[in-house]
Amino acid sequence: DIVVTQSPDSLTLSLGERATITCKSSQSLFHSRNNKNHLAWYQQKPGQPPKLLTYWASTRESGVPDRFSGSGSGTDFTLTISSLQAEDAAVYYCQQYVDPPFTFGPGTRLEIK
Amino acid sequence: QVQVVESGGALVRPGGSLRLSCAASGFPFSDYYMGWIRQAPGKGLEWISYIGDRGVRIYYADSVKGRFIISRDNAKNLVYLQMNSLRGDDTAVYYCARGGSLLREAFSDWFDPWGQGTLVTVSS
């Protein structure tokens, strides 16, 4: 099974700052069948289900603010929030979907000062 | 609108069984894979099972393989999770979510949307 890790476990930043969360996989998530990286990012706020932010590593889901951006390829990926807003406080998860079981990372908790 | 709604969560004794249901609406259900993901209290997300659009392709996490059974009824827009031999570490909120579809894109196996979840508590 593919193991997915995230760092940091948590971070606390101020409004307007830039947040960077990394996700690493034990195997490449790039697949030659479609030349894409099979990685998604989700945001989960307390008491709510996860919400899809990006897929194919860097494609932003419709309606997601453009301050959220995904990047990376192969085994190393990043979610960047360019200018933090109060409502971005949440736990962020990455998920690989190249090979079942489609494992999630352990999550990164983002707090806003 | 596109939505999925879980039901069936309950308090159950260790060793017991429970069946969760997920009702889908607002999209062509029979064209989409569907999945179950769980979240233990205060913990992260765990992918546990996934079923293909026709119910032929089925996948399980090792943690539930041999105990849980996923199925679907395309005529009723329902997906089920039959959970047997339940243990304390199965205690979690169980989410149903829409997965991939050729209507969207091949291999598009991310989850969107998710239901609100249903709580399963395994305790004596």
Side-chain angles (χ1 to χ4, degrees):
Chain A
D1 296 356
I2 296 175
V3 176
V4 179
T5 59
Q6 289 182 232
S7 62
D9 295 334
S10 64
L11 70 164
T12 302
L13 296 169
S14 299
L15 288 171
E17 285 195 300
R18 180 187 197 92
T20 302
I21 300 169
T22 64
C23 175
K24 294 182 185 292
S25 60
S26 60
Q27 298 173 217
S28 176
L29 304 186
F30 181 86
H31 208 293
S32 56
R33 61 192 172 193
N34 61 357
N35 291 324
K36 294 188 177 186
N37 288 284
H38 294 220
L39 184 99
W41 285 97
Y42 302 86
Q43 175 194 63
Q44 186 179 33
K45 296 181 179 180
Q48 297 183 18
K51 172 189 171 185
L52 177 70
L53 295 176
T54 68
Y55 52 91
W56 299 134
S58 61
T59 302
R60 195 180 303 112
E61 170 70 343
S62 175
V64 172
D66 61 8
R67 65 181 181 273
F68 291 91
S69 63
S71 62
S73 184
T75 61
D76 295 278
F77 301 89
T78 301
L79 176 70
T80 301
I81 312 172
S82 60
S83 179
L84 284 169
Q85 305 298 304
E87 61 265 30
D88 298 335
V91 180
Y92 293 85
Y93 296 93
C94 57
Q95 181 214 358
Q96 66 82 14
Y97 52 94
V98 74
D99 190 27
F102 295 145
T103 41
F104 289 89
T108 294
R109 182 176 302 277
L110 172 62
E111 296 181 348
I112 313 295
K113 280 189 284 192
Chain B
Q1 74 276 28
V2 175
Q3 68 174 1
V4 296
V5 179
E6 308 91 340
S7 61
L11 170 64
V12 62
R13 303 278 193 223
S17 298
L18 197 64
R19 189 177 84 158
L20 305 182
S21 299
C22 171
S25 59
F27 64 96
F29 179 74
S30 61
D31 288 318
Y32 280 80
Y33 282 52
M34 297 293 294
W36 288 96
I37 306 97
R38 69 184 180 184
Q39 186 169 36
K43 302 297 184 184
L45 302 171
E46 181 185 13
W47 182 99
I48 58 171
S49 190
Y50 199 47
I51 186 167
D53 50 4
R54 299 293 180 254
V56 175
R57 295 190 177 189
I58 287 176
Y59 307 94
Y60 297 102
D62 287 345
S63 58
V64 305
K65 199 175 295 181
R67 300 188 301 123
F68 289 12
I69 300 171
I70 191 171
S71 62
R72 65 189 295 161
D73 184 338
N74 284 348
K76 296 181 178 178
N77 284 13
L78 290 168
V79 61
Y80 304 102
L81 187 68
Q82 176 67 43
M83 303 186 295
N84 302 319
S85 302
L86 283 161
R87 313 185 301 224
D89 61 358
D90 294 317
T91 294
V93 172
Y94 284 73
Y95 293 104
C96 171
R98 186 181 70 169
S101 171
L102 289 176
L103 293 182
R104 188 161 65 187
E105 193 170 350
F107 314 116
S108 56
D109 295 305
W110 57 82
F111 291 118
D112 176 63
W114 298 54
Q116 289 296 314
T118 188
L119 177 63
V120 174
T121 303
V122 184
S123 176
S124 55

